[in-house]
Amino acid sequence: MKKPRALITGIAGQDGSYLAELLLREGFEVFGIERRATLEATHNFWRVAHIQSQIEVHAGSVDSFPSIYSILKKVVPDYCFHFAAQSFVSYSFEDEFATMNVNVNGTHYLLSAIAQVCPDCRLYFAGSSEMFGKVDSSPQTEETRFRPRSVYGISKLVGHELVRNYRESNKLFACTGILYNHESPRRGLEFVTRKITSTAAQIKLGLAHELRLGNIDAKRDWGFAGDYVEAIYAMLMQPTPEDFVIGTGEIHSVRNFLEIAFGELGLNYLDYIIIDQKFFRPAEEHLLIADPNKAKSKLGWRPKVAFEDLVRMMIRADYDYYMKKR
Ligand code: G4F
């Protein structure tokens, strides 16, 4: 029997790599799109190096319609998971236009190309809790009003509206996962959780001496990325396309994260932390916390890894990594 084909944009990223593993376990043929620059430097491929022989990665860019169109023509996927984006919120304050360009056009090009080339292909779009922005109620559900407070949030909201429009007007099976922060040892070093665990591990090993952060009283709903790709997969296996909020429903501060991460190594974060105005963001007073009840009841999804275990998993992985590298 022919295996189902899945195409993942941003396959070498955190979510792309966990999802690729899951799809291989489920018997899919897995294809990816990555920018040529990513493919050229082998270190960019570390998250999928262990499954590289089982996946087929095409060089391409989601901000080029011809590039997406020709890859879709070659692969003709049954499922497409769209993760490729400018996903660092801080950067969206520095370069609003690049963020809008890749996040909005990339999604639009993909939707349009799927509608033309393979209209039966099911599409997942990586939305974000940042779409909610300045919320007037917490926790947030699929019905909560969107009031994004960053260009990143706006770009994701436009993508979400494009997905809804193609679902309703073009009858595509397309849905948005409104995901809250999800972390893992594969998280990029620029995000606060991995910045903390990688620096704490280096401090413990004498490779670093301080950690510079912005607002450590900021709170987030943090879960494990490996759990979240299970929800993403389940969304596309539903009989009808629907959007889902995915998060734990619990919030913790950056300070909580620091305490556990440094504590795990027998250190006190207060001895190393330097608060640096450079890492503060404008407009961050809102409380983003998920109400994942729809995902629980319709997808049967629940986060499995608790917050403390996630922090420990990340700090252990970074400690082992820098220990070997030393
Ligand atoms: O780790 P962060 O950069 O993640 P953020 O901005 O919440 O965005 C992540 O989650 C979103 C929701 O899923 C995604 F849409 C998005 O693509 C990305 O994956 O920052 C987390 C918190 C913020 O409140 C920030 O102000 O940590 C605070 N923070 C304090 N000091 C810092 C720092 N964040 C970073 N990156 N670096 C700091 O030095």
Side-chain angles (χ1 to χ4, degrees):
M1 206 176 81
K2 188 180 162 282
K3 287 182 171 185
R5 302 184 136 214
L7 177 65
I8 304 174
T9 73
I11 194 169
Q14 171 186 261
D15 297 358
S17 66
Y18 280 116
L19 183 73
E21 288 171 357
L22 184 157
L23 293 170
L24 288 170
R25 285 197 301 274
E26 294 289 334
F28 281 69
E29 267 191 274
V30 178
F31 301 82
I33 303 182
E34 272 302 339
R35 282 162 300 181
R36 176 150 307 282
T38 305
L39 295 178
E40 274 164 7
T42 43
H43 67 265
N44 286 334
F45 235 62
W46 63 275
R47 296 182 183 90
V48 285
H50 60 297
I51 51 170
Q52 210 163 348
S53 61
Q54 301 167 69
I55 59 181
E56 187 177 306
V57 183
H58 293 256
S61 176
V62 292
D63 52 13
S64 155
F65 182 80
S67 168
I68 292 179
Y69 188 89
S70 69
I71 294 171
L72 282 176
K73 275 263 189 202
K74 278 183 214 143
V75 175
V76 195
D78 304 299
Y79 299 86
C80 180
F81 298 88
H82 180 36
F83 296 127
Q86 192 304 93
S87 64
F88 189 36
V89 178
S90 272
Y91 184 68
S92 78
F93 293 107
E94 282 167 42
D95 193 341
E96 300 182 353
F97 301 93
T99 302
M100 285 298 274
N101 191 30
V102 66
N103 292 5
V104 174
N105 290 341
T107 308
H108 198 181
Y109 295 156
L110 192 59
L111 282 160
S112 171
I114 287 176
Q116 293 174 55
V117 176
C118 44
D120 293 329
C121 173
R122 295 182 169 204
L123 175 75
Y124 168 82
F125 169 64
S128 163
S129 56
E130 285 290 309
M131 287 157 32
F132 289 123
K134 192 172 187 304
V135 287
D136 34 34
S137 63
S138 285
Q140 293 83 43
T141 70
E142 293 74 10
E143 307 307 321
T144 303
R145 183 158 75 106
F146 297 116
R147 283 172 81 186
R149 296 280 270 171
S150 62
V151 165
Y152 170 81
I154 294 168
S155 72
K156 285 289 177 178
L157 182 53
V158 177
H160 169 61
E161 290 295 339
L162 285 163
V163 165
R164 184 189 50 73
N165 189 53
Y166 270 78
R167 179 167 71 217
E168 292 169 5
S169 306
N170 300 64
K171 306 293 172 224
L172 288 194
F173 189 116
C175 54
T176 301
I178 306 172
L179 268 58
Y180 286 65
N181 299 49
H182 43 290
E183 318 294 312
S184 74
R186 298 183 192 174
R187 190 57 145 149
L189 291 165
E190 67 276 34
F191 296 97
V192 77
T193 55
R194 187 79 202 293
K195 184 173 172 182
I196 293 170
T197 58
S198 65
T199 312
Q202 291 178 75
I203 288 173
K204 179 72 182 175
L205 293 164
L207 302 170
H209 304 287
E210 63 180 37
L211 170 58
R212 288 181 174 266
L213 292 177
N215 179 13
I216 62 171
D217 291 313
K219 295 188 171 80
R220 286 289 185 272
D221 179 336
W222 277 297
F224 172 50
D227 288 344
Y228 287 35
V229 298
E230 291 181 1
I232 291 169
Y233 175 72
M235 278 180 223
L236 290 201
M237 299 302 135
Q238 289 294 294
T240 49
E242 286 182 55
D243 305 324
F244 288 90
V245 160
I246 304 295
T248 66
E250 271 180 37
I251 48 166
H252 298 271
S253 64
V254 175
R255 202 181 276 281
N256 293 151
F257 196 104
L258 281 162
E259 279 161 3
I260 301 171
F262 277 76
E264 188 66 15
L265 299 177
L267 302 173
N268 182 344
Y269 76 94
L270 292 169
D271 296 334
Y272 305 98
I273 189 97
I274 295 175
I275 301 301
D276 189 334
Q277 290 303 318
K278 188 169 86 186
F279 297 110
F280 277 74
R281 296 177 190 176
E284 228 204 357
E285 73 281 10
H286 44 268
L287 191 60
L288 295 177
I289 171 165
D291 174 347
N293 277 315
K294 180 179 172 190
K296 281 185 184 163
S297 62
K298 286 207 160 177
L299 304 177
W301 179 82
R302 270 174 182 69
K304 294 177 196 143
V305 177
F307 176 71
E308 287 76 11
D309 295 331
L310 172 64
V311 183
R312 289 194 189 102
M313 178 201 300
M314 292 178 69
I315 194 83
R316 283 286 136 212
D318 269 321
Y319 183 79
D320 291 349
Y321 173 76
Y322 287 105
M323 184 74 179
K324 276 190 207 127
K325 227 179 145 211
R326 200 165 59 148

